[in-house]
Amino acid sequence: MLDRPAVVEPLDDDKTPATFTGNRGLDQEEPLIFEIGRLDATGVDIDDPAPIATRLGALERNAPIGLPGLTEPETMRHYVRLSRKNYSIDAGLYPLGSCTMKHNPRSNEKIARYEGFADIHPLQPQSTAQGALELMQILADWLMTLTNMPAVAMSPKAGAHGELCGMMAIKSAIAARGESATRNVVLIPQSAHGTNPATAALLGFSVRVVPAAPDGTVRAQAVKDALAPDVAAIMLTNPNTCGLFEREIVEIADAMHEAGGYFYCDGANFNAIAGVARPGDFGIDAMHINLHKTFSTPHGGGGPGAGPVVLSERLAPFAPVPFIRRNGDALELVEDAEGTQSFGRLTAFHGQMGMFVRALAYMLAHGTDGLAQASKDAVLAANYVRASLRDVMTQPFGDRICMHEVLFDDAWLRGAGVTTLDFAKAMIDEGYHPMTIYFPLVVHGAMLIEPTESESKASLDLFIATLHDLARSAKAGEVARFTPAPRLAPRRRVDEALAARKPVLRWEEKAAAS
């Protein structure tokens, strides 16, 4: 007789019985593939290989590999059931702040699957991939036009990788001036993304923190106070991670340049200003652009990302290889940095071709006016959420116009017995992925919401009404709705402290019961 799965829990409360299978209607329980796989099962038929002389010597395998086997229907069901446990932008509004989880148009996906793009290989002769090189050049032109920057490095694979690229160019420029020993400090605002100080430290820089003003922005005077002959650069996000535009950015850039430093702008939030403002006009020297945020290429799941970096005239000579150059009637990827000031190769090959196709398809479909409208709609959506929730939630820097994301704190929850984490977990029971919480670190109990331009007014109204209802419950002392949440998800809340201190990083087969 089959035993009930060990993972079964009561569903909602004591009045709702557990099921024998662990399934909850269409919410189906699914064990790990190692638990359901069998060595005798396979979804494919493969002929026995011809005898070969092994060259592995003592390294030759002497025991079964132990990979789980499933039939084809079992394999399909396993991954479909797992996919139903994921939240995605295709399932609903995805309000993660500072992430820009926007709709990925299916026309982009169709074009990326064209044989001429999907079937090329980075090692094939460049003469056979002229169309791909032309697409990269057109995309690069769009990025330089939108930012008003003279050069762009296309190879970085994501935002943090782009940061590394831009800062490596800055480090190379400083070395070319003979100042490596003296300019070794990078200024980082309090509200910065965590990747900013990490990137600076990785390259051997020390970090000097620039405090935020009471309104959540960086003052030019605070930057000037932090400047010294040892400062190499500043890494500033605009709009910043509080969802606010840095109004003194030009004065900050001027101060940096006058002091001999460089200005790196984190472009993670470009979706707020693309087509509306050009970062090159601010005086920046380098900025990465997340194609998976601003230009609608797929986002999450560990990739694929893409983080091209635009560079100023001061940094363009130090851009990494490869880069595209016209040679007569043909385009070529310059692979060798010899004879240039390039800091060399950042990564294998040329970047993320599939993401380049999707991003350019998005740009061409929208045009410059459409991109500007998308940015304006993203800002409008965030301010609609802000204005609609200001009667029940508090804003750390006052009720003021934000950019593409709106930031709330937990001041309105004090005394309610409900934390920011509790509130976020209760959103899961309502069918929403939580907003970004506890970031930026400059705000206590932060809740950062970025609706993007993808959402209709009806979609935003339902989201707002849901948060209103949750806020009223929290203020009414209905703690039981929050502290056990999520109650309706496939898994309940874990002990996060225990998970951090004693993580289980590897599956091990349990011993058979005697």
Side-chain angles (χ1 to χ4, degrees):
M1 181 178 294
L2 292 174
D3 293 326
R4 177 179 291 174
V7 295
V8 169
E9 307 167 347
L11 299 188
D12 302 338
D13 51 44
D14 294 338
K15 298 178 182 179
T16 308
T19 60
F20 175 80
T21 59
N23 298 340
R24 307 177 182 189
L26 296 180
D27 179 10
Q28 294 172 307
E29 178 58 35
E30 185 65 10
L32 298 175
I33 195 169
F34 298 103
E35 296 170 324
I36 59 176
R38 309 177 301 283
L39 295 179
D40 63 338
T42 180
V44 296
D45 292 324
I46 302 176
D47 294 335
D48 292 333
I52 59 171
T54 179
R55 292 178 292 173
L56 296 176
L59 297 177
E60 185 178 5
R61 180 177 294 280
N62 53 26
I65 193 170
L67 292 178
L70 299 174
T71 66
E72 183 174 327
E74 288 174 327
T75 303
M76 180 63 69
R77 289 170 187 162
H78 176 69
Y79 287 104
V80 168
R81 288 176 178 180
L82 290 182
S83 73
R84 292 170 60 90
K85 300 182 188 301
N86 290 336
Y87 194 92
S88 70
I89 190 63
D90 291 339
L93 188 151
Y94 213 138
L96 279 176
S98 200
C99 286
T100 316
M101 306 298 284
K102 62 200 285 180
H103 175 64
N104 306 137
R106 290 308 179 264
S107 59
N108 299 2
E109 301 302 316
K110 180 178 179 180
I111 295 170
R113 285 166 172 75
Y114 286 175
E115 290 182 3
F117 297 127
D119 294 345
I120 58 175
H121 191 281
L123 291 179
Q124 73 186 66
Q126 293 186 23
S127 61
T128 66
Q130 287 295 297
L133 295 181
E134 184 177 357
L135 183 144
M136 290 173 61
Q137 186 183 51
I138 295 172
L139 174 60
D141 287 341
W142 272 80
L143 295 175
M144 290 186 288
T145 299
L146 287 167
T147 57
N148 193 27
M149 299 286 274
V152 59
M154 299 295 290
S155 59
K157 300 294 183 64
H161 206 209
E163 285 180 23
L164 182 66
C165 174
M167 291 303 293
M168 287 176 74
I170 288 173
K171 187 167 186 175
S172 297
I174 290 171
R177 285 165 27 186
E179 297 180 333
S180 294
T182 55
R183 290 194 182 272
N184 49 26
V185 172
V186 173
L187 304 183
I188 307 282
Q190 277 182 320
S191 61
H193 289 107
T195 52
N196 292 171
T199 297
L202 179 66
L203 292 175
F205 291 109
S206 298
V207 170
R208 185 174 300 157
V209 176
V210 178
D215 67 354
T217 63
V218 176
R219 290 283 189 268
Q221 187 58 52
V223 173
K224 293 174 183 177
D225 292 343
L227 284 173
D230 59 355
V231 172
I234 187 171
M235 298 181 76
L236 179 73
T237 308
N238 194 29
N240 67 27
T241 51
C242 298
L244 305 171
F245 191 85
E246 295 287 358
R247 295 181 178 275
E248 298 185 15
I249 187 170
V250 173
E251 188 178 350
I252 291 171
D254 289 344
M256 287 300 304
H257 294 153
E258 186 177 340
Y262 293 89
F263 189 161
Y264 183 90
C265 184
D266 186 318
N269 298 335
F270 191 44
N271 199 58
I273 60 173
V276 177
R278 303 184 304 181
D281 297 341
F282 303 156
I284 70 168
D285 293 299
M287 184 182 87
H288 77 267
I289 303 172
N290 301 79
L291 298 188
H292 49 287
K293 292 185 179 185
T294 306
F295 300 110
S296 82
T297 68
H299 192 163
V309 178
V310 289
L311 299 166
S312 69
E313 247 180 75
R314 306 169 75 209
L315 291 182
F318 304 96
V321 294
F323 56 84
I324 297 175
R325 179 174 64 192
R326 183 164 291 280
N327 184 4
D329 294 333
L331 295 171
E332 63 179 0
L333 276 175
V334 178
E335 303 275 5
D336 192 349
E338 188 175 350
T340 74
Q341 291 182 288
S342 168
F343 67 72
R345 180 176 293 277
L346 182 72
T347 184
F349 309 126
H350 52 258
Q352 299 279 29
M353 190 66 207
M355 300 304 105
F356 296 163
V357 176
R358 290 170 171 87
L360 184 59
Y362 180 82
M363 292 174 176
L364 294 177
H366 283 71
T368 52
D369 57 337
L371 293 177
Q373 188 61 54
S375 298
K376 294 174 183 178
D377 288 347
V379 173
L380 177 62
N383 279 281
Y384 183 60
V385 172
R386 174 189 61 81
S388 300
L389 292 175
R390 60 187 172 192
D391 60 328
V392 292
M393 299 170 69
T394 51
Q395 301 168 65
F397 305 113
D399 185 23
R400 51 188 293 206
I401 291 176
C402 61
M403 294 298 290
H404 61 302
E405 56 193 352
V406 55
L407 178 61
F408 297 102
D409 61 17
D410 64 352
W412 64 278
L413 282 173
R414 288 170 195 161
V418 175
T419 66
T420 290
L421 180 65
D422 295 333
F423 190 84
K425 296 295 186 182
M427 288 176 64
I428 298 174
D429 282 336
E430 297 292 338
Y432 287 106
H433 193 290
M435 70 286 277
T436 296
I437 60 173
Y438 299 123
F439 178 80
L441 300 179
V442 292
V443 171
H444 193 279
M447 291 174 253
L448 187 60
I449 299 173
E450 183 179 359
T452 81
E453 75 278 7
S454 299
E455 302 304 323
S456 66
K457 182 175 182 298
S459 173
L460 293 176
D461 284 340
L462 180 58
F463 176 72
I464 290 164
T466 302
L467 294 195
H468 258 279
D469 186 69
L470 286 168
R472 282 193 294 267
S473 289
K475 291 182 176 182
E478 297 172 8
V479 177
R481 183 178 180 181
F482 297 90
T483 52
R487 298 173 298 120
L488 306 178
R491 291 292 179 270
R492 304 293 288 271
R493 196 188 307 196
V494 300
D495 184 331
E496 297 190 2
L498 182 64
R501 292 170 184 160
K502 297 181 179 180
V504 178
L505 303 178
R506 181 177 177 179
W507 177 82
E508 294 183 0
E509 186 175 4
K510 296 179 181 178
S514 57

